[in-house]
Amino acid sequence: MRIIVTGGLGFIGSNFILNQINKTKNIILNIDKITYAGNIDNLSSISNEKNYSFLKSDICSKDLINTTINEFEPDSIVNFAAESHVDRSIENPMEFVETNVLGTVNLLQCSTNYFNKINNSNFKFLHVSTDEVFGSLGKSGLFSEDTSYDPSSPYSASKASSDHFVRAWNRTFGLPTIITNCSNNYGPRQFPEKLIPLMIINCLNEKPLPIYGKGDNIRDWLYVNDHCDAIYETLCNGKIGETYNIGGNNEISNFEIVNTICSIMDELRPRQNAQKYSELITFVEDRPGHDFRYAIDTSKIKNKLGWMPKEDFHSGIRKTIDWYLKNSQWIKNLSSKYNQSRLGLKS
Ligand code: NAD
């Protein structure tokens, strides 16, 4: 397959591309704007591979995206490109509308132009979305593919909007689309403004470990390679026009996550002052509109496509911490490139 991947220098996209190049013969073109979240280091190990190429572009760019799709002639497009951080969407919502909504619509329009021109009935447009479109769960219940959309943040509202446009392009223009809505990912190469890498890197720098509210918000944690396998399975065998929910079957509170990271760090990299990492935990004012709980019913993707997550949280978090411990240069490069106070790397 010839696949265009958008947002492939980010966390999930880069893991997806690495898996594709290392495990398949597929030919990948990565289109990424290289925002603060796009990191060239994520794919430096494959930059000379003959099946991989990179184009720096904004998905909102009409002409460049049209030309590129026509020249590359993809069998599929997988859209990861997005502004992805809820806190930033509260500070600057317009960037989220531009990339997540208008950028997705531009990709859909350019893909439709291309699809109408070629004779490839196998063409697919897979849109990667989030479980945050469904809003918040109480103590019980699970999100299924039929759950109504009820987004709380500008981020989730922009992703919900993009999902609606993807469905509209399928129903109105006949573009062969599939949507996946996944839960919170964790694993190697995640920009450390997100909970898990932030906590690991702050532990390494002996900085406070800030937890929103009381830390009782619950997410269903999905190891990134499991997610990448699910996306590829869906791309190959998913049904056009359908949605698939992807979750890790690992519901854990933020407080439990941070405590688990602290205990593993105590074991693998004990603090020089002999104190426990958990002593660095501090509770900070809660995020406005913070959804209480997300949890995914994975029965559709399990029953229809035979996909199940391989990692449970305890195996996945060890692999993740181990990766950050072994990749101190990746962390160093980030800390010189990005706003350090935001990462909590400097006081
Ligand atoms: P990320 O923020 O790590 O990466 C996003 C990538 O998109 C970056 O490389 C960035 O440079 C690129 N990008 C941003 N705006 C662009 C634009 N206008 N044009 C081209 N490229 C642009 O995000 P991620 O965590 O890898 O998430 C990937 C996708 O998965 C997103 O669509 C996100 O909504 C979705 N998702 C992520 C999670 C998660 O836990 N990380 C959970 C559910 C869904």
Side-chain angles (χ1 to χ4, degrees), residues 10-12 32-33 35 38 58-59 80 84 99 155 159 182 185:
F11 165 47
I12 307 174
D32 196 298
K33 181 181 171 184
T35 67
D58 191 324
I59 56 166
F80 291 97
S84 69
T99 287
Y155 164 68
K159 292 296 290 188
C182 70
N185 283 222

Side-chain angles (χ1 to χ4, degrees), residues 229-289:
D229 288 347
I231 289 173
Y232 191 48
E233 186 58 46
T234 309
L235 185 64
C236 295
N237 297 313
K239 207 164 151 203
I240 297 303
E242 301 239 337
T243 293
Y244 295 86
N245 282 357
I246 307 171
N249 304 331
N250 281 304
E251 281 190 53
I252 309 179
S253 73
N254 288 349
F255 184 62
E256 208 182 327
I257 295 267
V258 179
N259 263 312
T260 305
I261 292 171
C262 288
S263 324
I264 298 174
M265 289 294 292
D266 285 335
E267 181 193 323
L268 299 181
R269 186 69 64 90
R271 291 176 74 185
Q272 285 184 351
N273 64 10
Q275 289 183 350
K276 300 274 183 211
Y277 282 103
S278 55
E279 289 174 50
L280 295 170
I281 292 175
T282 77
F283 294 93
V284 298
E285 193 185 335
D286 208 351
R287 166 193 282 165

Side-chain angles (χ1 to χ4, degrees), residues 200 261 264-265 268 317-325:
I200 298 170
I261 292 171
I264 298 174
M265 289 294 292
L268 299 181
I317 193 67
R318 271 192 180 268
K319 284 188 180 174
T320 303
I321 293 175
D322 190 52
W323 187 88
Y324 286 94
L325 292 180

Side-chain angles (χ1 to χ4, degrees), residues 219-237:
R219 301 290 179 261
D220 174 359
W221 290 91
L222 171 65
Y223 190 65
V224 67
N225 282 336
D226 280 332
H227 183 204
C228 294
D229 288 347
I231 289 173
Y232 191 48
E233 186 58 46
T234 309
L235 185 64
C236 295
N237 297 313

Side-chain angles (χ1 to χ4, degrees), residues 57-58 60-70 106 110:
S57 170
D58 191 324
C60 299
S61 159
K62 231 174 171 172
D63 292 344
L64 192 51
I65 296 293
N66 245 326
T67 314
T68 305
I69 294 179
N70 282 310
N106 186 47
C110 296

Side-chain angles (χ1 to χ4, degrees), residues 4 41 66 72-73 90 93 103 112 134 137 156 160 162 186 194 202 229 238 262 274-275 287 296 321 326 330:
I4 289 183
D41 288 352
N66 245 326
F72 184 77
E73 299 184 338
I90 296 168
T112 305
F134 301 122
L137 289 167
S156 52
S162 68
Y186 68 103
K194 305 282 168 59
N202 279 11
D229 288 347
C262 288
Q275 289 183 350
R287 166 193 282 165
I296 295 254
I321 293 175
K326 286 184 175 141
W330 183 92

Side-chain angles (χ1 to χ4, degrees), residues 6-14 31-39 57-60 79-85 98-100 103 127-132 155 159 180-186 189-191 193-194 221 227:
T6 68
L9 291 179
F11 165 47
I12 307 174
S14 63
I31 300 180
D32 196 298
K33 181 181 171 184
I34 322 189
T35 67
Y36 77 94
N39 186 347
S57 170
D58 191 324
I59 56 166
C60 299
N79 181 29
F80 291 97
E83 288 293 336
S84 69
H85 191 43
E98 278 156 20
T99 287
N100 300 1
H127 179 63
V128 178
S129 191
T130 169
D131 60 355
E132 300 194 28
Y155 164 68
K159 292 296 290 188
T180 55
N181 294 90
C182 70
S183 55
N184 282 47
N185 283 222
Y186 68 103
R189 302 175 190 83
Q190 187 168 28
F191 187 76
E193 62 189 355
K194 305 282 168 59
W221 290 91
H227 183 204

